[in-house]
Amino acid sequence: MASKLLRAVILGPPGSGKGTVCQRIAQNFGLQHLSSGHFLRENIKADTEVGDMAKQYIEKGLLVPDHVITRLMMSELENRRDQHWLLDGFPRTLVQAEALDRICDLDLVITLNIPFETLKDRLSRRWIHPASGRVYNLDFNPPQVHGVDDVTGEPLAQQEDDKPEAVAARLRQYKDVAKPVIELYKSRGVLHQFSGTETNKIWPYVYTLFSNKITPIQSKEAY
C-alpha cells in the first residue's frame, strides 16, 4: 500500500445515512472524520471569530456563506496535513470545492443516492440533542429513554427543518447546490456513487472501495 495520505469526501442529502457511513469508515480505516457541522458548533461554543460570524447567519435562519465555511475548514485542514481524512459536509458548493482544490487533490469522493421517500421518512423520525449534535432515529438508533439524550439525560428536539413540510424544500435545495459539485468530481474520475435504501446494504461496497485505497485497521468490517 502506498504511504500517500488519503483525502476523501462524502456527499449526500440530509437523512442519507452519511453520518453513519462516516463513523464506519473512520472506525475501519483510521481516517479522521472531519464534519463541518461539528467544527461550526465547536467554534460557536468557543466564541472564535469565525464562530461569531457563522452564528450571526444561523440565528437569522440563513445558510452560513461560502467564505465563512471555507475559512473555518481551511484552518482545520491546515492542522491535519499529516493525517488521512474524510470530509463530511464540505465542500457543499462549487465555490467551496474550488477552494479545497487549491490545497489538495482528492483521491475519493463518494455520494449517497437515496430515494426521496426514504429520506422523507428518515428525517421525520430524526431527533437531536441540540447541545452536542447527537442524532437519534426512532427506527434504527432510538434513545434508551424516549425523548431523552442517552449521555446527558437532557430532552431531545426535532429540528424545524426535519418536519415533513420542510424536508422537500431542503432536499430540492441540496440537489441544486450539489449537482455541479458532483459533476466536477465525476469529470475527474474520482466520484463513486452508491444507491439504495439501507445503509447496511450500501456499506460493504463502500468498505471494498476504501480497502482498495488504504489498509483497514480492523481485520473485518465493523458495524
Side-chain angles (χ1 to χ4, degrees):
M1 270 306 158
S3 60
K4 182 184 173 300
L5 291 167
L6 190 70
R7 303 281 175 249
V9 164
I10 184 165
L11 304 170
S16 59
K18 205 158 47 90
T20 308
V21 171
C22 286
Q23 279 171 347
R24 291 184 185 178
I25 292 170
Q27 241 181 329
N28 282 276
F29 298 98
L31 272 74
Q32 292 289 319
H33 171 202
L34 310 181
S35 154
S36 59
H38 171 74
F39 291 136
L40 261 181
R41 280 192 295 275
E42 293 289 296
N43 276 268
I44 289 169
K45 217 186 278 180
D47 281 331
T48 65
E49 190 190 342
V50 73
D52 287 341
M53 285 162 78
K55 194 177 177 179
Q56 290 168 17
Y57 292 94
I58 292 167
E59 283 175 347
K60 292 178 190 145
L62 301 169
L63 281 178
V64 180
D66 285 334
H67 71 95
V68 178
I69 289 281
T70 300
R71 192 171 142 194
L72 170 76
M73 295 308 289
M74 290 300 138
S75 69
E76 293 293 345
L77 293 173
E78 192 59 38
N79 297 335
R80 293 170 170 79
R81 291 180 120 162
D82 56 350
Q83 299 171 346
H84 297 288
W85 49 247
L86 169 66
L87 278 175
D88 166 14
F90 181 88
R92 272 195 180 154
T93 66
L94 208 45
V95 172
Q96 293 174 14
E98 285 160 356
L100 185 59
D101 272 353
R102 290 195 282 277
I103 64 159
C104 72
D105 291 321
L106 292 174
D107 303 298
L108 276 185
V109 178
I110 64 177
T111 176
L112 303 176
N113 291 337
I114 313 294
F116 178 72
E117 283 305 313
T118 305
L119 294 172
K120 216 165 65 176
D121 291 348
R122 279 186 191 172
L123 289 171
S124 64
R125 310 281 291 156
R126 183 160 93 155
W127 290 74
I128 68 153
H129 176 242
S132 67
R134 266 187 292 282
V135 178
Y136 296 90
N137 183 290
L138 300 182
D139 295 325
F140 52 84
N141 172 33
Q144 289 162 13
V145 177
H146 186 69
V148 174
D149 178 49
D150 290 350
V151 179
T152 62
E154 292 167 355
L156 300 176
Q158 187 165 40
Q159 289 176 294
E160 281 301 317
D161 51 7
D162 283 342
K163 292 179 179 167
E165 56 282 9
V167 168
R170 268 174 90 192
L171 295 176
R172 262 197 309 275
Q173 185 194 25
Y174 169 80
K175 264 191 167 156
D176 293 346
V177 175
K179 200 173 176 208
V181 178
I182 288 169
E183 290 303 321
L184 172 75
Y185 292 135
K186 202 178 193 171
S187 71
R188 290 194 186 157
V190 291
L191 186 81
H192 300 264
Q193 304 200 42
F194 297 94
S195 304
T197 56
E198 290 175 49
T199 304
N200 283 345
K201 290 191 175 162
I202 293 173
W203 169 244
Y205 298 100
V206 175
Y207 180 86
T208 301
L209 173 69
F210 274 83
S211 301
N212 291 332
K213 296 274 181 189
I214 184 171
T215 311
I217 54 172
Q218 301 192 354
S219 54
K220 63 182 180 48
E221 300 164 35
Y223 271 59

